[in-house]
Amino acid sequence: MAKFLLSLHVLASVLFIGPVAVAVSMFPRRAKAALAGGPEQAADAGMLRLLHRITQVYALLGIAVPVLGIGVAQVMDVLGQSWLIASMVLTAVAALALLLFVLPAQQAAVDALDLEHGSADHGKAVKGLALLPMTAGVFNLLWAVVVVLMIIRPGSTTGA
């Protein structure tokens, strides 16, 4: 049962967290291009909406990753180990960063697409993008640390 749950956990990680990480990383550059105007603005606006939708949908699907992870940890009897607790805390911080910073900033940028270029609200949305590249980087860094902890598992008694 542990191998089956672990396989589902890893598969869900790759299929659900991977697209979020990529979409979150691509969004800031596309947002600046779409909100700046120019000849390719329509294509950038369409891409911006698509990246935001990918982030939303796959973030929701990504809930399966920690749920399956907790199931794997219970079956493997490692739920109280420090490396797993650290991973769970970092996963929660990454989820909070996504929910509190990344998704609202993305939504503001998508909403600004419908505003008149040069208006006060449009300018506010553009200024709101300033922290998005850093937030996206922190989000992806947190997931990278979680992956490393899952592989190295310092102090693990499983011997793997």
Side-chain angles (χ1 to χ4, degrees):
M1 183 64 150
K3 289 182 181 180
F4 176 71
L5 283 175
L6 182 58
S7 297
L8 288 178
H9 174 63
V10 171
L11 189 61
S13 298
V14 170
L15 294 178
F16 300 151
I17 303 302
V20 173
V22 171
V24 165
S25 295
M26 291 176 62
F27 191 92
R29 185 174 63 87
R30 290 292 186 162
K32 286 181 183 178
L35 294 174
E40 296 180 4
Q41 182 181 2
D44 287 326
M47 179 59 76
L48 199 64
R49 286 185 174 94
L50 176 64
L51 291 171
H52 180 55
R53 184 72 178 147
I54 289 169
T55 304
Q56 289 177 315
V57 170
Y58 282 88
L60 189 59
L61 293 172
I63 294 170
V65 175
V67 169
L68 288 167
I70 290 170
V72 171
Q74 284 180 327
V75 170
M76 293 177 68
D77 197 30
V78 294
L79 201 52
Q81 293 194 8
S82 59
W83 61 270
L84 186 65
I85 293 168
S87 295
M88 292 181 350
V89 168
L90 292 174
T91 298
V93 171
L96 286 173
L98 186 67
L99 291 173
L100 298 177
F101 300 109
V102 174
L103 283 171
Q106 284 187 354
Q107 186 64 55
V110 169
D111 292 344
L113 293 172
D114 297 328
L115 300 173
E116 174 137 357
H117 189 72
S119 70
D121 289 334
H122 186 272
K124 184 178 175 184
V126 171
K127 285 181 184 177
L129 292 174
L131 293 178
L132 193 54
M134 180 190 68
T135 309
V138 169
F139 172 77
N140 286 329
L141 179 63
L142 288 167
W143 276 112
V145 172
V146 168
V147 168
V148 169
L149 283 173
M150 291 287 117
I151 293 169
I152 295 176
R153 302 187 304 186
S156 172
T157 59
T158 62

